[in-house]
């Protein structure tokens, strides 16, 4: 009898998975609440400038070759990335978003029961992927101020640890670590003779303007089990195309290439990514708009008396005097989509992506109204 139950097909690790909850799509909000005016989606860290125009032109040209399978090895994209980053293309792998590369890393380098280290309040995908692969997860609490605690993470690493996930800046907190703590972390590994794969998830690195922000690519010589992951989804404005890349020692890339699907990145997506790399102007405009918007949001939230966490990303996390889910819901009613954070262990926080100046203003006004209504039971 029991083997007829659908869950007899899967292990406990799969049966107990909670699916990832993405930011609420604009279309869905319209449908659900019958909202008609403009909706500000500040929930998924998308680029408020839209996609890079050069990327779109390149993608349009590639559409005429849509009948052809893509170059599975993404030769030209890796070549262009190699020039751009100053890295041998043999050290680069393209992925269907950097999300896919996280999965490929787990599938390539881990066996069921292997140990991985993640930080609390980090990107939930790390835990999801580890659980799906039936890995043992150590989740290390953050230091005060929602800072990733690299000292405690280094301590949590054991001789059998396979993967350590570091996000810099971190999503959803926006907080980041500088060169000193990162170098001390690598020194600890060396001193303790530990050799896990250290995955530096740098999805937001283009937005990080702090002078001591580390570029993990500069550390591959020093630690050859370092993996740098980046994406075209955020600063380049190409989230719909699903392209990211990883940089690692050629022998690691070689193993990952054996595991990945043969055509994991599409032809149009590869063309768009190459076009985006040629669009330095768009990148600079995105970074400048973000930096101004980050300040606008921080000051606006602080003016409302809220705690704001320092961010080097294209979003800001803030703490509220009432449950984030409730504030999220009331903002939806006003046509503003943010991200509630209960799923990240931060039930009194919301994360808001940096939008255009007008979107940021609209969010701050809506939030002021929502919080104002508190005394009147509103
Ligand atoms: C958005 C994001 C990614 C990757 O996104 P893709 O669209 O899959 O490239 C990876 N890590 C973090 C922390 C992110 O926020």
């Amino acid at each position: 009898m029991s083997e007829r139950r659908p869950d007899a097909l899967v292990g406990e690790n799969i049966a107990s998975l909670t699916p990832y909850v993405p930011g609420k799509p604009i279309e869905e909000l319209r449908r659900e609440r019958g909202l008609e005016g403009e909706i500000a989606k500040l929930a998924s860290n998308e680029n408020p400038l839209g996609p890079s125009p050069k990327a779109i032109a390149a993608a349009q040209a590639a559409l005429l070759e849509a009948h052809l399978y893509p170059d599975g090895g993404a030769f030209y994209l890796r070549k262009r990335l190699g020039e751009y980053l100053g890295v041998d293309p043999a050290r680069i792998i393209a992925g269907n978003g950097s999300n896919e590369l996280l999965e490929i890393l787990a599938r390539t380098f881990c066996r069921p029961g292997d140990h991985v280290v993640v930080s609390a309040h980090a990107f939930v995908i790390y835990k999801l992927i580890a659980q799906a692969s039936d890995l043992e997860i150590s989740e290390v609490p953050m230091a005060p101020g929602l800072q990733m605690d690299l000292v405690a993470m280094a301590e949590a690493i054991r001789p059998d640890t396979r993967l350590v996930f570091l996000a810099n800046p971190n999503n959803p907190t926006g907080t980041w670590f500088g060169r000193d703590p990162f170098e001390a972390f690598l020194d600890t590994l060396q001193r303790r003779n530990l050799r896990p794969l250290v995955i530096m998830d740098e999805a937001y690195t283009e937005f990080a303007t702090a002078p001591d922000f580390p570029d993990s690519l500069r550390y591959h010589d020093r630690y050859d089990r370092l993996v740098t992951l980046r994406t075209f989804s955020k600063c380049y404005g190409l989230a719909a195309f699903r392209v990211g890349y990883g940089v690692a020692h050629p022998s690691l890339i070689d193993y990952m290439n054996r595991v990945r699907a043969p055509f994991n990145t599409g032809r149009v997506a590869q063309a768009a990514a190459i076009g985006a790399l040629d669009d330095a102007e768009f990148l600079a405009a995105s970074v400048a708009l973000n930096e101004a918007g980050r300040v606008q949001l921080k000051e606006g939230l602080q003016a409302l008396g809220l705690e704001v966490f320092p961010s080097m990303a294209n979003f800001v996390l803030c703490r509220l005097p009432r449950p984030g889910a409730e504030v999220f819901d009331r903002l939806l009613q006003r046509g503003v989509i943010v991200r509630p954070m209960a799923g990240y262990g931060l039930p009194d926080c919301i994360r808001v992506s940096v939008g255009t100046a007008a979107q940021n203003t609209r969010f701050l006004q809506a939030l002021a109204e929502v919080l104002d209504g508190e005394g009147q039971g509103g």
Side-chain angles (χ1 to χ4, degrees):
M1 221 26 213
S2 72
E3 56 287 358
R4 297 248 180 114
R5 291 189 11 223
D7 62 2
L9 282 172
V10 298
E12 176 54 28
N13 62 315
I14 301 297
S16 61
L17 274 178
T18 334
Y20 180 75
V21 184
K24 188 180 262 304
I26 291 174
E27 302 84 336
E28 189 180 298
L29 178 59
R30 273 198 209 292
R31 212 165 52 228
E32 283 177 3
R33 311 229 175 173
L35 292 185
E36 273 169 13
E38 193 154 320
I39 290 175
K41 186 184 177 206
L42 303 174
S44 302
N45 307 336
E46 293 149 337
N47 194 323
L49 290 178
S52 142
K54 287 193 180 163
I56 294 313
Q60 277 170 335
L63 279 173
L64 298 175
E65 294 172 340
H67 61 302
L68 300 174
Y69 274 103
D71 167 9
F75 178 85
Y76 291 104
L77 173 57
R78 289 191 304 110
K79 181 171 182 289
R80 183 72 187 83
L81 274 170
E83 291 160 7
Y84 181 73
L85 302 169
V87 163
D88 178 356
R91 294 180 163 266
I92 302 174
I93 182 172
N96 198 260
S98 54
N99 195 102
E100 187 204 26
L101 296 169
L102 289 164
E103 265 177 39
I104 292 175
L105 283 161
R107 295 215 318 270
T108 306
F109 298 107
C110 299
R111 278 153 276 211
D114 278 351
H115 180 241
V116 301
V117 174
V118 303
S119 171
H121 316 302
F123 197 36
V124 285
I125 295 289
Y126 310 147
K127 282 200 284 183
L128 265 175
I129 288 173
Q131 193 184 332
S133 297
D134 214 3
L135 308 178
E136 183 194 345
I137 304 168
S138 288
E139 188 178 50
V140 178
M142 278 190 157
L146 297 181
Q147 296 280 345
M148 202 166 274
D149 190 340
L150 293 194
V151 173
M153 289 184 81
E155 275 167 17
I157 297 169
R158 316 187 306 220
D160 65 330
T161 302
R162 282 299 200 172
L163 308 176
V164 182
F165 294 93
L166 302 180
N168 202 34
N170 180 49
N171 176 17
T173 60
T175 53
W176 54 285
F177 52 83
R179 279 193 283 269
D180 286 349
F182 182 54
E183 288 175 14
F185 173 85
L186 294 178
D187 287 345
T188 306
L189 294 190
Q190 192 168 29
R191 198 173 55 248
R192 293 182 52 211
N193 204 17
L194 295 165
R195 308 234 327 116
L197 283 173
V198 174
I199 300 167
M200 282 287 273
D201 185 349
E202 296 181 335
Y204 302 96
T205 192
E206 296 86 357
F207 297 114
T209 47
D212 67 328
F213 190 87
D215 172 359
S216 70
L217 292 178
R218 307 279 83 87
Y219 292 86
H220 283 248
D221 285 345
R222 183 159 152 188
Y223 188 69
D224 63 6
R225 290 194 180 168
L226 197 54
V227 182
T228 299
L229 298 183
R230 293 186 183 166
T231 182
F232 288 93
S233 297
K234 309 283 163 56
C235 199
Y236 294 94
L238 300 180
F241 281 111
R242 315 302 308 122
V243 208
Y245 61 92
V247 179
H249 190 278
S251 69
L252 302 179
I253 297 292
D254 176 36
Y255 288 127
M256 292 170 76
N257 274 325
R258 300 180 200 194
V259 170
R260 71 168 172 82
F263 303 108
N264 64 325
T265 55
R267 174 178 286 272
V268 182
Q270 287 176 25
I274 293 170
L277 288 172
D278 290 330
D279 204 343
E281 221 176 296
F282 178 82
L283 197 69
S286 301
V287 172
L289 181 73
N290 186 67
E291 201 159 17
R294 215 157 52 188
V295 173
Q296 184 191 359
L297 286 176
K298 178 179 148 221
E299 290 177 352
L301 290 164
Q302 283 173 340
L304 294 174
L306 303 174
E307 181 184 4
V308 185
F309 293 88
S311 170
M312 270 297 125
N314 65 345
F315 55 84
V316 168
L317 184 77
C318 81
R319 187 161 268 157
L320 302 163
R322 58 208 253 201
E326 203 180 298
V327 172
F328 162 72
D329 191 70
R330 286 175 197 201
L331 287 173
L332 283 185
Q333 208 45 49
R334 289 165 172 79
V336 178
I337 314 177
V338 298
R339 199 69 162 265
M341 289 281 116
Y344 287 83
L346 301 165
D348 59 349
C349 293
I350 54 170
R351 190 194 69 191
V352 54
S353 306
V354 176
T356 60
Q359 287 175 324
N360 300 335
T361 301
R362 172 136 177 244
F363 157 73
L364 289 167
Q365 278 168 354
L367 183 63
E369 281 170 31
V370 167
L371 294 177
D372 235 15
E374 189 173 27
Q376 307 138 33

